[in-house]
Every structure is written in C-alpha cells, then in structure tokens.
Short mmCIF file of all heavy atoms in Angstrom, two decimals:
data_model
loop_
_atom_site.label_atom_id
_atom_site.label_comp_id
_atom_site.label_asym_id
_atom_site.label_seq_id
_atom_site.Cartn_x
_atom_site.Cartn_y
_atom_site.Cartn_z
N GLU A 1 183.28 53.03 110.86
CA GLU A 1 184.01 52.60 112.06
C GLU A 1 184.71 51.27 111.83
O GLU A 1 185.86 51.08 112.28
CB GLU A 1 183.06 52.52 113.25
CG GLU A 1 182.62 53.89 113.76
CD GLU A 1 181.78 53.80 115.00
OE1 GLU A 1 180.87 52.92 115.06
OE2 GLU A 1 181.99 54.61 115.93
N ARG A 2 184.06 50.35 111.14
CA ARG A 2 184.71 49.07 110.84
C ARG A 2 185.93 49.27 109.94
O ARG A 2 186.89 48.50 110.00
CB ARG A 2 183.73 48.10 110.19
CG ARG A 2 182.71 47.51 111.14
CD ARG A 2 182.11 46.22 110.59
NE ARG A 2 181.43 46.42 109.32
CZ ARG A 2 180.14 46.69 109.19
NH1 ARG A 2 179.38 46.80 110.27
NH2 ARG A 2 179.59 46.85 107.99
N GLY A 3 185.86 50.30 109.09
CA GLY A 3 187.01 50.60 108.24
C GLY A 3 188.14 51.31 108.97
O GLY A 3 189.17 51.60 108.36
N GLY A 4 187.94 51.58 110.25
CA GLY A 4 188.99 52.22 111.06
C GLY A 4 188.80 53.69 111.29
O GLY A 4 189.61 54.32 111.98
N GLY A 5 187.76 54.29 110.69
CA GLY A 5 187.52 55.72 110.87
C GLY A 5 187.08 56.04 112.29
O GLY A 5 186.39 55.25 112.93
N ARG A 6 187.47 57.20 112.76
CA ARG A 6 187.09 57.66 114.11
C ARG A 6 186.02 58.73 113.97
O ARG A 6 186.30 59.86 113.60
CB ARG A 6 188.33 58.20 114.84
CG ARG A 6 188.05 58.74 116.23
CD ARG A 6 189.35 58.93 117.01
NE ARG A 6 190.32 59.75 116.29
CZ ARG A 6 190.30 61.10 116.31
NH1 ARG A 6 189.35 61.74 116.97
NH2 ARG A 6 191.23 61.78 115.66
N LEU A 7 184.78 58.37 114.24
CA LEU A 7 183.66 59.28 114.03
C LEU A 7 183.61 60.37 115.09
O LEU A 7 183.78 60.10 116.29
CB LEU A 7 182.34 58.50 114.06
CG LEU A 7 182.07 57.56 112.89
CD1 LEU A 7 180.79 56.76 113.14
CD2 LEU A 7 181.96 58.34 111.58
N VAL A 8 183.36 61.58 114.64
CA VAL A 8 183.12 62.72 115.53
C VAL A 8 181.76 63.29 115.13
O VAL A 8 181.61 63.86 114.06
CB VAL A 8 184.21 63.80 115.41
CG1 VAL A 8 183.95 64.94 116.39
CG2 VAL A 8 185.60 63.20 115.63
N ARG A 9 180.77 63.14 115.99
CA ARG A 9 179.40 63.54 115.65
C ARG A 9 179.18 65.00 116.05
O ARG A 9 179.45 65.40 117.19
CB ARG A 9 178.40 62.63 116.34
CG ARG A 9 178.62 61.16 115.98
CD ARG A 9 177.49 60.29 116.46
NE ARG A 9 177.81 58.88 116.27
CZ ARG A 9 176.93 57.94 115.96
NH1 ARG A 9 175.67 58.28 115.78
NH2 ARG A 9 177.29 56.69 115.82
N LEU A 10 178.68 65.77 115.10
CA LEU A 10 178.47 67.20 115.29
C LEU A 10 177.15 67.61 114.65
O LEU A 10 176.65 66.94 113.75
CB LEU A 10 179.61 68.00 114.62
CG LEU A 10 181.04 67.73 115.08
CD1 LEU A 10 182.01 68.32 114.07
CD2 LEU A 10 181.28 68.31 116.46
N SER A 11 176.61 68.74 115.11
CA SER A 11 175.51 69.35 114.38
C SER A 11 176.10 70.10 113.19
O SER A 11 177.32 70.33 113.11
CB SER A 11 174.74 70.32 115.27
OG SER A 11 175.54 71.46 115.55
N ALA A 12 175.24 70.48 112.24
CA ALA A 12 175.73 71.20 111.06
C ALA A 12 176.42 72.50 111.46
O ALA A 12 177.48 72.85 110.93
CB ALA A 12 174.57 71.48 110.10
N ARG A 13 175.82 73.21 112.40
CA ARG A 13 176.41 74.49 112.82
C ARG A 13 177.72 74.28 113.56
O ARG A 13 178.70 75.00 113.35
CB ARG A 13 175.42 75.24 113.70
CG ARG A 13 175.88 76.65 114.07
CD ARG A 13 174.75 77.48 114.64
NE ARG A 13 173.72 77.70 113.64
CZ ARG A 13 172.64 78.44 113.85
NH1 ARG A 13 172.45 79.02 115.02
NH2 ARG A 13 171.74 78.60 112.89
N GLU A 14 177.75 73.27 114.44
CA GLU A 14 179.00 72.96 115.15
C GLU A 14 180.10 72.59 114.16
O GLU A 14 181.26 72.99 114.32
CB GLU A 14 178.78 71.79 116.12
CG GLU A 14 178.02 72.12 117.37
CD GLU A 14 177.74 70.87 118.18
OE1 GLU A 14 177.55 69.79 117.59
OE2 GLU A 14 177.71 70.98 119.42
N HIS A 15 179.74 71.80 113.16
CA HIS A 15 180.72 71.38 112.16
C HIS A 15 181.35 72.57 111.47
O HIS A 15 182.58 72.69 111.38
CB HIS A 15 180.05 70.48 111.13
CG HIS A 15 180.93 70.11 109.98
ND1 HIS A 15 181.17 70.96 108.91
CD2 HIS A 15 181.67 68.99 109.73
CE1 HIS A 15 181.99 70.38 108.06
NE2 HIS A 15 182.31 69.18 108.52
N ASP A 16 180.52 73.49 110.97
CA ASP A 16 181.05 74.62 110.20
C ASP A 16 181.84 75.58 111.08
O ASP A 16 182.85 76.15 110.65
CB ASP A 16 179.92 75.34 109.48
CG ASP A 16 179.36 74.52 108.33
OD1 ASP A 16 179.90 73.41 108.07
OD2 ASP A 16 178.39 74.97 107.70
N ARG A 17 181.40 75.76 112.33
CA ARG A 17 182.16 76.62 113.24
C ARG A 17 183.51 76.00 113.57
O ARG A 17 184.53 76.69 113.62
CB ARG A 17 181.35 76.86 114.53
CG ARG A 17 182.04 77.83 115.49
CD ARG A 17 181.13 78.23 116.63
NE ARG A 17 180.73 77.08 117.43
CZ ARG A 17 179.49 76.64 117.54
NH1 ARG A 17 178.51 77.23 116.88
NH2 ARG A 17 179.21 75.61 118.31
N THR A 18 183.52 74.67 113.75
CA THR A 18 184.77 73.98 114.08
C THR A 18 185.72 73.97 112.89
O THR A 18 186.92 74.25 113.04
CB THR A 18 184.47 72.54 114.53
OG1 THR A 18 183.64 72.58 115.69
CG2 THR A 18 185.76 71.80 114.87
N THR A 19 185.21 73.63 111.70
CA THR A 19 186.10 73.56 110.55
C THR A 19 186.57 74.93 110.09
O THR A 19 187.61 75.04 109.42
CB THR A 19 185.43 72.83 109.37
OG1 THR A 19 184.18 73.47 109.06
CG2 THR A 19 185.19 71.36 109.71
N ALA A 20 185.84 75.99 110.45
CA ALA A 20 186.35 77.34 110.18
C ALA A 20 187.67 77.55 110.90
O ALA A 20 188.56 78.25 110.42
CB ALA A 20 185.34 78.40 110.61
N ALA A 21 187.81 76.91 112.07
CA ALA A 21 189.07 77.00 112.83
C ALA A 21 190.09 75.96 112.38
O ALA A 21 191.25 76.27 112.13
CB ALA A 21 188.78 76.84 114.33
N THR A 22 189.65 74.70 112.25
CA THR A 22 190.61 73.63 111.96
C THR A 22 191.09 73.63 110.51
O THR A 22 192.20 73.17 110.23
CB THR A 22 190.00 72.25 112.28
OG1 THR A 22 188.83 72.06 111.47
CG2 THR A 22 189.65 72.14 113.75
N GLN A 23 190.26 74.13 109.60
CA GLN A 23 190.65 74.13 108.19
C GLN A 23 190.87 75.54 107.65
O GLN A 23 191.99 75.88 107.25
CB GLN A 23 189.57 73.41 107.36
CG GLN A 23 189.49 71.93 107.64
CD GLN A 23 188.49 71.22 106.74
OE1 GLN A 23 187.40 71.73 106.48
NE2 GLN A 23 188.84 70.04 106.27
N ALA A 24 189.83 76.37 107.64
CA ALA A 24 189.97 77.71 107.04
C ALA A 24 191.06 78.52 107.73
O ALA A 24 191.92 79.13 107.07
CB ALA A 24 188.64 78.45 107.09
N LEU A 25 191.04 78.57 109.05
CA LEU A 25 192.06 79.34 109.79
C LEU A 25 193.45 78.74 109.59
O LEU A 25 194.42 79.46 109.34
CB LEU A 25 191.70 79.37 111.28
CG LEU A 25 192.72 80.05 112.20
CD1 LEU A 25 192.92 81.51 111.81
CD2 LEU A 25 192.30 79.93 113.65
N THR A 26 193.54 77.42 109.70
CA THR A 26 194.85 76.76 109.56
C THR A 26 195.45 77.02 108.19
O THR A 26 196.64 77.37 108.07
CB THR A 26 194.70 75.25 109.79
OG1 THR A 26 194.17 75.02 111.09
CG2 THR A 26 196.05 74.54 109.66
N HIS A 27 194.66 76.85 107.15
CA HIS A 27 195.17 77.08 105.79
C HIS A 27 195.56 78.54 105.59
O HIS A 27 196.56 78.84 104.93
CB HIS A 27 194.13 76.67 104.75
CG HIS A 27 193.71 75.24 104.85
ND1 HIS A 27 192.51 74.78 104.34
CD2 HIS A 27 194.32 74.17 105.42
CE1 HIS A 27 192.41 73.48 104.58
NE2 HIS A 27 193.49 73.09 105.24
N ALA A 28 194.76 79.46 106.16
CA ALA A 28 195.09 80.88 106.04
C ALA A 28 196.41 81.19 106.73
O ALA A 28 197.22 81.98 106.22
CB ALA A 28 193.96 81.73 106.65
N VAL A 29 196.65 80.60 107.88
CA VAL A 29 197.91 80.80 108.60
C VAL A 29 199.09 80.31 107.76
O VAL A 29 200.09 81.02 107.57
CB VAL A 29 197.90 80.07 109.96
CG1 VAL A 29 199.29 80.03 110.57
CG2 VAL A 29 196.93 80.77 110.92
N VAL A 30 198.98 79.09 107.24
CA VAL A 30 200.09 78.49 106.50
C VAL A 30 200.39 79.25 105.22
O VAL A 30 201.55 79.57 104.92
CB VAL A 30 199.79 77.01 106.21
CG1 VAL A 30 200.86 76.41 105.29
CG2 VAL A 30 199.72 76.21 107.50
N LEU A 31 199.35 79.59 104.45
CA LEU A 31 199.58 80.30 103.20
C LEU A 31 200.03 81.74 103.43
O LEU A 31 200.86 82.26 102.68
CB LEU A 31 198.31 80.27 102.35
CG LEU A 31 197.97 78.89 101.77
CD1 LEU A 31 196.57 78.87 101.17
CD2 LEU A 31 199.00 78.47 100.72
N SER A 32 199.53 82.38 104.49
CA SER A 32 199.99 83.74 104.82
C SER A 32 201.45 83.73 105.24
O SER A 32 202.21 84.65 104.90
CB SER A 32 199.12 84.33 105.93
OG SER A 32 197.78 84.49 105.50
N PHE A 33 201.85 82.70 105.97
CA PHE A 33 203.26 82.53 106.33
C PHE A 33 204.12 82.45 105.07
O PHE A 33 205.16 83.12 104.95
CB PHE A 33 203.42 81.26 107.17
CG PHE A 33 204.82 80.74 107.27
CD1 PHE A 33 205.76 81.36 108.07
CD2 PHE A 33 205.20 79.60 106.55
CE1 PHE A 33 207.07 80.87 108.16
CE2 PHE A 33 206.49 79.11 106.63
CZ PHE A 33 207.42 79.75 107.43
N GLY A 34 203.67 81.67 104.08
CA GLY A 34 204.43 81.56 102.84
C GLY A 34 204.49 82.88 102.09
O GLY A 34 205.55 83.27 101.58
N LEU A 35 203.36 83.60 102.02
CA LEU A 35 203.35 84.90 101.35
C LEU A 35 204.28 85.88 102.05
O LEU A 35 204.97 86.67 101.39
CB LEU A 35 201.92 85.45 101.32
CG LEU A 35 200.95 84.76 100.35
CD1 LEU A 35 199.54 85.29 100.56
CD2 LEU A 35 201.40 84.96 98.91
N ALA A 36 204.31 85.84 103.38
CA ALA A 36 205.20 86.74 104.12
C ALA A 36 206.66 86.47 103.78
O ALA A 36 207.47 87.40 103.63
CB ALA A 36 204.95 86.59 105.62
N LEU A 37 207.01 85.19 103.64
CA LEU A 37 208.39 84.85 103.27
C LEU A 37 208.75 85.42 101.91
O LEU A 37 209.86 85.93 101.71
CB LEU A 37 208.57 83.33 103.25
CG LEU A 37 208.57 82.62 104.61
CD1 LEU A 37 208.76 81.12 104.41
CD2 LEU A 37 209.65 83.17 105.52
N THR A 38 207.82 85.35 100.95
CA THR A 38 208.13 85.89 99.62
C THR A 38 208.33 87.40 99.67
O THR A 38 209.13 87.94 98.90
CB THR A 38 207.01 85.56 98.61
OG1 THR A 38 205.81 86.24 98.97
CG2 THR A 38 206.76 84.05 98.54
N ARG A 39 207.64 88.08 100.56
CA ARG A 39 207.76 89.53 100.67
C ARG A 39 209.01 89.96 101.42
O ARG A 39 209.46 91.10 101.30
CB ARG A 39 206.50 90.11 101.32
CG ARG A 39 205.33 90.17 100.33
CD ARG A 39 203.99 90.04 101.04
NE ARG A 39 202.87 90.21 100.11
CZ ARG A 39 202.50 89.30 99.22
NH1 ARG A 39 203.18 88.18 99.10
NH2 ARG A 39 201.46 89.51 98.43
N LEU A 40 209.59 89.07 102.21
CA LEU A 40 210.82 89.38 102.93
C LEU A 40 212.05 89.28 102.03
O LEU A 40 213.12 89.77 102.39
CB LEU A 40 210.99 88.43 104.12
CG LEU A 40 210.05 88.67 105.30
CD1 LEU A 40 210.21 87.56 106.34
CD2 LEU A 40 210.31 90.03 105.94
N GLY A 41 211.91 88.63 100.89
CA GLY A 41 213.02 88.52 99.96
C GLY A 41 214.13 87.60 100.42
O GLY A 41 215.29 87.77 100.01
N VAL A 42 213.81 86.63 101.26
CA VAL A 42 214.84 85.71 101.76
C VAL A 42 215.03 84.57 100.77
O VAL A 42 214.12 84.21 100.02
CB VAL A 42 214.45 85.16 103.15
CG1 VAL A 42 214.57 86.25 104.20
CG2 VAL A 42 213.05 84.60 103.13
N ASP A 43 216.22 83.98 100.80
CA ASP A 43 216.56 82.88 99.90
C ASP A 43 216.14 81.57 100.54
O ASP A 43 216.50 81.28 101.69
CB ASP A 43 218.06 82.88 99.62
CG ASP A 43 218.46 81.74 98.71
OD1 ASP A 43 218.13 81.80 97.52
OD2 ASP A 43 219.09 80.78 99.21
N ILE A 44 215.39 80.74 99.82
CA ILE A 44 214.88 79.50 100.39
C ILE A 44 215.99 78.54 100.76
O ILE A 44 215.90 77.80 101.75
CB ILE A 44 213.87 78.82 99.42
CG1 ILE A 44 213.21 77.61 100.09
CG2 ILE A 44 214.54 78.44 98.12
CD1 ILE A 44 212.43 77.92 101.33
N ARG A 45 217.10 78.57 100.01
CA ARG A 45 218.20 77.67 100.35
C ARG A 45 218.85 78.07 101.66
O ARG A 45 219.22 77.22 102.48
CB ARG A 45 219.24 77.66 99.22
CG ARG A 45 218.74 76.97 97.94
CD ARG A 45 219.66 77.22 96.78
NE ARG A 45 219.70 78.65 96.44
CZ ARG A 45 220.38 79.16 95.43
NH1 ARG A 45 221.08 78.34 94.63
NH2 ARG A 45 220.36 80.45 95.17
N THR A 46 218.96 79.38 101.88
CA THR A 46 219.51 79.86 103.15
C THR A 46 218.57 79.55 104.30
O THR A 46 218.99 79.14 105.38
CB THR A 46 219.78 81.38 103.08
OG1 THR A 46 220.64 81.64 101.98
CG2 THR A 46 220.42 81.87 104.36
#
C-alpha cells in the first residue's frame, strides 16, 4: 500500500473464480477475436 498498490482482499476460491473472468475469459475473447479475423481473410491495412 505504501508503494501505491491498491489491495483487493479475496479468499483463494474467490480469487480463482474472479480471475477466471477477468483474465482467462478476457484473454480468450481477445485471442479468439484475432483468430476470427485471420479466418475471414481480411487485409489488416484495410
């Protein structure tokens, strides 16, 4: 906290359930979006 960090206190189970949404789900959405673009055959410059 003195270093400026904002602590969020969670139980172990709460943490993993929350990060499944904030990290695993988010990364899956972003990377799936990228994969979908490659399958559409669109030009990145366009």
Side-chain angles (χ1 to χ4, degrees):
E1 288 185 316
R2 286 201 300 268
R6 178 166 54 83
L7 291 174
V8 182
R9 303 190 188 215
L10 301 165
S11 70
R13 186 166 295 183
E14 286 174 327
H15 174 280
D16 289 357
R17 184 170 61 244
T18 299
T19 55
T22 60
Q23 292 184 318
L25 176 61
T26 302
H27 302 158
V29 168
V30 173
L31 289 169
S32 296
F33 163 75
L35 288 172
L37 289 180
T38 66
R39 283 151 175 74
L40 288 173
V42 289
D43 179 71
I44 186 60
R45 290 169 297 183
T46 304

